Amino acid sequence: MQPLKFEPLLKSTLWGGNKIIPFKHISSNQQQVGESWEISGVKGSETIVAEGALKGKSLNEIVSEMKGSLVGTENYERFGNEFPLLIKFIDARQDLSIQVHPSDEIARRQGKHRGKTEMWYIMKSDEGAKLYSGLKREITPEEYKELVENDTICDALAQYEVSEGDVFFLPAGRIHAIGTGCFLAEIQQTSDVTYRIYDFKRKDKDGNYRELHTKEAAESIDYRVEKDYRTHYEAQNNMGVSVVECPYFSTAVYNIDEPMTIDYSELDSFVILIGISGEGNVTDNEGNTTSLNAGETLLIPATTQTIQVTGTLRFLETYV
């Protein structure tokens, strides 16, 4: 089976900007595009295969048909017909709400199917763009509720000015928010459970305040404090550099300027490649060649043994 590309699902949002459409080199008049869902098995928002023999089929359809051949034997036993990862590009013209996601255990206790752990890779963002990740001082659940009510919750959060190449890992329970001017790639569990903690007193298009989930969030927050929430790594040319290893996904960053072969023969998983900058091609061991340029995302089936990547390209590699 050849690598698969999907039609992106463009999501207009209250806070969306204008970076995603030109970044992906697509034609669209859609306004305020805050998110491009690149690979998604979320019910009601499934991505559709864009080309090849499977064109027109949803991701969930091909998981059901191909099973372990697509996602890997152990992944299929673990997740069944639900694809385990959701891949997005996000462009914030305004601050997103302060939010948190529950763990799997807490989500099930709250009547949800699954929690959400995720990561961000920062792309070319506006100068001075910032985000929130984690608590900078200890607070209690009671104090948390007071801070929300008093509009001072941001005072308790660690804030970071970001630049291209920065990585932030966001395990379930970590308070976070994407700030104005941030442009990033997001890798996450397949889950749409988000608890909004604070929304800067903004109103929607109908003049209403957006719903807050103060109680559910209080139950989900990890109140531990860390010294630094940024992931530190050193990029290397023509090799993969691991940035995240967790039970839900493993992610590496590649910067290539010469042909490179990547061996997946011992890996029992699909692989997703996310083009960050530059342009190149991916050729699998069966001779199928597919472009991988900035703004493109490829799903490599679990049956693929090796790929060769050529061009001048920065990309993320992620799998379960």
Side-chain angles (χ1 to χ4, degrees):
M1 187 195 312
Q2 68 185 67
L4 300 172
K5 287 184 179 178
F6 293 83
E7 298 287 353
L9 287 174
L10 303 181
K11 306 266 187 175
S12 292
T13 63
L14 181 70
W15 42 263
N18 56 11
K19 293 185 178 75
I20 286 176
I21 289 172
F23 173 66
K24 291 185 60 60
H25 300 287
I26 56 179
S27 178
S28 174
N29 294 321
Q30 194 168 333
Q31 300 297 308
Q32 290 184 222
V33 177
E35 299 183 345
S36 174
W37 290 28
E38 295 289 295
I39 295 181
S40 169
V42 175
K43 290 182 179 179
S45 292
E46 299 96 337
T47 46
I48 306 300
V49 179
E51 56 191 40
L54 299 175
K55 181 178 179 179
K57 291 195 173 187
S58 73
L59 176 58
N60 291 352
E61 284 182 278
I62 60 174
V63 172
S64 178
E65 291 176 9
M66 307 300 179
K67 299 179 170 57
S69 297
L70 179 69
V71 299
T73 302
E74 289 188 11
N75 283 334
Y76 191 74
E77 291 174 356
R78 180 179 173 190
F79 299 104
N81 290 330
E82 183 176 61
F83 192 78
L85 294 184
L86 172 57
I87 309 298
K88 301 177 183 178
F89 293 123
I90 298 178
D91 172 23
R93 182 178 54 88
Q94 300 177 5
D95 292 338
L96 276 68
S97 58
I98 308 296
Q99 54 189 236
V100 72
H101 310 299
S103 65
D104 288 349
E105 180 183 358
I106 292 172
R108 285 191 288 268
R109 201 160 63 226
Q110 295 173 337
K112 310 292 185 182
H113 179 55
R114 179 175 291 121
K116 188 195 295 188
T117 285
E118 60 189 5
M119 66 162 283
W120 295 330
Y121 179 92
I122 307 299
M123 300 190 295
K124 192 171 184 179
S125 300
D126 294 350
E127 186 175 353
K130 298 177 181 179
L131 56 78
Y132 292 106
S133 178
L135 292 167
K136 69 179 180 183
R137 64 178 178 86
E138 291 186 3
I139 62 173
T140 64
E142 292 73 23
E143 186 180 2
Y144 147 76
K145 293 176 183 177
E146 292 176 4
L147 291 169
V148 172
E149 291 173 1
N150 296 333
D151 302 324
T152 55
I153 184 64
C154 294
D155 295 344
L157 305 180
Q159 189 177 47
Y160 295 86
E161 188 167 320
V162 298
S163 58
E164 189 172 8
D166 285 351
V167 171
F168 290 84
F169 177 55
L170 302 161
R174 182 167 293 169
I175 298 179
H176 59 273
I178 299 170
T180 300
C182 287
F183 186 36
L184 57 89
E186 180 176 270
I187 299 166
Q188 60 161 91
Q189 287 178 265
T190 293
S191 170
D192 215 16
V193 180
T194 295
Y195 294 142
R196 192 178 297 119
I197 292 173
Y198 184 68
D199 198 36
F200 307 98
K201 299 294 187 185
R202 288 182 296 197
K203 295 181 179 180
D204 63 20
K205 59 183 175 60
D206 299 317
N208 300 313
Y209 292 117
R210 294 201 294 174
E211 181 184 7
L212 301 182
H213 310 97
T214 307
K215 178 180 180 295
E216 296 91 340
E219 297 169 353
S220 304
I221 293 169
D222 181 348
Y223 291 92
R224 291 175 293 186
V225 177
E226 297 184 12
K227 290 182 179 179
D228 188 2
Y229 296 96
R230 197 194 306 260
T231 297
H232 295 275
Y233 71 100
E234 291 188 12
Q236 302 286 333
N237 287 337
N238 303 307
M239 64 177 293
V241 177
S242 176
V243 291
V244 172
E245 291 278 349
C246 75
Y248 306 105
F249 51 83
S250 298
T251 303
V253 178
Y254 285 77
N255 290 286
I256 71 159
D257 57 12
E258 59 185 43
M260 181 177 184
T261 298
I262 307 175
D263 188 347
Y264 296 130
S265 60
E266 300 298 318
L267 181 67
D268 181 27
S269 175
F270 64 90
V271 177
I272 295 171
L273 305 181
I274 306 166
I276 300 299
S277 63
E279 55 187 27
N281 289 296
V282 175
T283 303
D284 66 16
N285 52 280
E286 296 179 356
N288 300 300
T289 298
T290 311
S291 69
L292 179 62
N293 302 322
E296 294 185 329
T297 306
L298 277 185
L299 174 58
I300 311 293
T303 52
T304 302
Q305 298 294 298
T306 62
I307 60 170
Q308 184 182 59
V309 186
T310 58
T312 301
L313 181 66
R314 179 183 300 172
F315 63 94
L316 303 181
E317 169 202 70
T318 192
Y319 55 83
V320 177

